[in-house]
Amino acid sequence: MNAVAPGTGHSFATPLLAWFDRHGRKNLPWQTDRAPYRVWVSEIMLQQTQVATVIPYFNAFMQRFPDVAALASAPLDEVLHHWSGLGYYARARHLHGAARIVVKRHGGEFPRSLEAVMKLPGIGRSTAGAILALACNARQPILDGNVKRVLARYFGIDGFPGEPATSHKLWALADACTPAERVADYTQAIMDLGATVCVRRRPLCSACPLMQACAARIAGRQDQLPAARPRRARRSQKTCMLLAIRDGECVLLERRPPQGIWGGLWGLPEFASSDAARDWCIRELRAHQATAQPLGTLRHTFTHFDLDIEPVRIDCDGAQGVMESERYVWYSPAAPLALGIAAPVMALIEAALPLPLAGEYRPQTHSPGDVGVGGGEGDAA
Ligand code: SF4
């Protein structure tokens, strides 16, 4: 492996910045106005999610929540609604909580010290560094997934980056490579290189400004670095989701607990079996003519496990609106409330109650990463 020697940063950053001047992305919505709030929101949205997917969400989010005060004063439900379909909903909950802290403790000004930024919910070391570097040109290293890949390959670092010893080495290299000047451009450059050239599979080494000294390219080890996460047995879980339909036009939604998958979003009530769902409808909804119609099982893939969903439709004739509360709501796709609903749940609702919904911006149409159960930056659920 290449050592972190004096001059490492210069020989790494100089060709990278020259490449950025020619090929880097400079006109993304959060680049044209680099206010810390905008950069912050973009960095949170970009965790686990690709730029092309983020752009329409970012623009809609900025229209509704143009500054930190607007975000802090909004109800969480509305924030989750604007996040619906982006996935990893803990990001939205943390963003909202952090906005309230910025208003309350920092007078609405995004803090400028790494320590203060890292104290905000949902912001780890790399995201804090990226926000300060991109918005304030502060010399802070970053180490997101793209940067880990570039550094592990260029310096020939073995070991899974999630292991503390490997992570420690990569942070040291990230710091050594970050220049004292043009920090914002350098930060964008290394992220762009990882996203567009030094990609996970088949990196475009012949187009890479770092190819001359790249350890992985010289040794032909691009597909071995960075090392993969050690394999763990994959779990699967089963659940029966109830589509309780009232009058053929409303479906009962239940607010999910704040922690866990789709935390804080609205979802379908879950049961161990369709019989249990039917009994519940009769007991709680007074739906005496409830007839259960099992729908096909579908598998939803999360980061660490698979969820096998058995949807069951129960037309609750005679059901009354007795359940409306903080916890339950009857939801009509024809007159939708601004609620955060995970994309797979929305797909089930739309299949059960198909109605034309054209002509409206619908965040639910994307579900690239609506998966996962937490853990680290970009944590899910
Ligand atoms: Fe990545 Fe290839 Fe560039 Fe090395 S030469 S940093 S492997 S794209």
Side-chain angles (χ1 to χ4, degrees):
M1 110 180 202
N2 297 342
V4 187
T8 296
H10 182 74
S11 57
F12 186 90
T14 303
L16 189 54
L17 281 165
W19 172 84
F20 176 76
D21 288 338
R22 286 196 305 277
H23 304 290
R25 293 179 285 197
K26 304 179 189 77
N27 294 308
L28 297 170
W30 45 89
Q31 292 177 315
T32 47
D33 172 357
R34 290 193 182 185
Y37 170 70
R38 293 170 60 85
V39 172
W40 169 28
V41 172
S42 73
E43 282 301 310
I44 301 297
M45 285 189 170
L46 286 164
Q47 291 170 351
Q48 320 280 356
T49 311
Q50 302 210 339
V51 166
T53 301
V54 163
I55 289 173
Y57 284 89
F58 178 84
N59 288 334
F61 201 89
M62 282 302 139
Q63 211 170 351
R64 169 59 190 88
F65 312 111
D67 52 38
V68 70
L71 179 58
S73 61
L76 176 60
D77 264 339
E78 197 179 347
V79 177
L80 290 170
H81 174 67
H82 276 75
W83 208 274
S84 291
L86 255 185
Y88 297 92
Y89 297 98
R91 297 182 298 177
R93 291 198 306 277
H94 288 151
L95 183 63
H96 183 245
R100 293 189 162 181
I101 292 172
V102 168
V103 168
K104 199 169 165 194
R105 291 199 202 140
H106 301 282
E109 284 292 316
F110 194 80
R112 295 296 199 269
S113 82
L114 188 70
E115 295 70 29
V117 176
M118 284 174 64
K119 280 189 184 151
L120 296 173
I123 301 187
R125 182 176 169 191
S126 183
T127 300
I131 298 167
L132 292 174
L134 292 169
C136 312
N137 213 32
R139 189 192 172 280
Q140 294 290 352
I142 67 160
L143 193 62
D144 68 5
N146 285 329
V147 177
K148 284 175 190 167
R149 189 166 55 251
V150 172
L151 294 177
R153 284 174 173 166
Y154 181 83
F155 290 101
I157 303 296
D158 286 299
F160 171 55
E163 285 165 4
T166 313
S167 173
H168 186 76
K169 279 184 206 165
L170 291 172
W171 270 112
L173 290 166
D175 187 41
C177 290
T178 303
E181 292 174 353
R182 294 193 65 191
V183 180
D185 287 349
Y186 168 83
T187 302
Q188 190 65 53
I190 192 166
M191 292 193 299
D192 284 359
L193 190 81
T196 62
V197 176
C198 193
V199 290
R200 199 184 306 264
R201 290 195 189 87
R202 296 198 205 141
L204 310 172
C205 298
S206 57
C208 178
L210 305 174
M211 67 174 289
Q212 292 297 344
C214 174
R217 187 200 64 78
I218 292 165
R221 299 185 65 216
Q222 294 96 320
D223 59 348
Q224 293 164 27
L225 297 173
R229 177 193 293 275
R231 275 187 180 275
R232 277 186 297 179
R234 197 165 172 76
R235 289 186 297 125
S236 69
Q237 213 171 293
K238 255 189 198 171
T239 187
C240 172
M241 285 193 184
L242 166 65
L243 285 146
I245 308 295
R246 193 181 72 183
D247 301 330
E249 58 187 38
C250 294
V251 60
L252 187 70
L253 298 184
E254 179 177 15
R255 190 194 283 279
R256 300 184 64 87
Q259 304 304 328
I261 60 170
W262 303 327
L265 271 69
W266 291 85
L268 298 167
E270 292 186 35
F271 297 89
S273 68
S274 57
D275 284 348
R278 185 172 175 279
D279 291 348
W280 187 83
C281 286
I282 291 170
R283 192 176 63 248
E284 300 293 335
L285 302 183
R286 301 181 214 158
H288 298 300
Q289 291 124 50
T291 49
Q293 182 191 348
L295 307 170
T297 300
L298 56 105
R299 171 164 282 197
H300 189 69
T301 304
F302 287 82
T303 309
H304 303 306
F305 73 102
D306 298 319
L307 184 64
D308 290 325
I309 301 170
E310 292 175 3
V312 59
R313 174 180 177 137
I314 299 184
D315 284 277
C316 298
D317 294 341
Q320 298 173 28
V322 293
M323 304 296 295
E324 292 267 351
S325 66
E326 281 288 299
R327 183 169 171 191
Y328 293 102
V329 68
W330 287 100
Y331 177 85
S332 166
L337 299 166
L339 301 178
I341 301 174
V345 173
M346 182 54 81
L348 286 171
I349 294 169
E350 287 177 350
L353 297 172
L355 285 172
L357 288 168
E360 184 187 355
Y361 171 71
R362 298 176 61 214
Q364 292 90 349
T365 50
H366 294 281
S367 58
D370 57 337
V371 295
V373 286
E377 289 194 329
D379 55 351

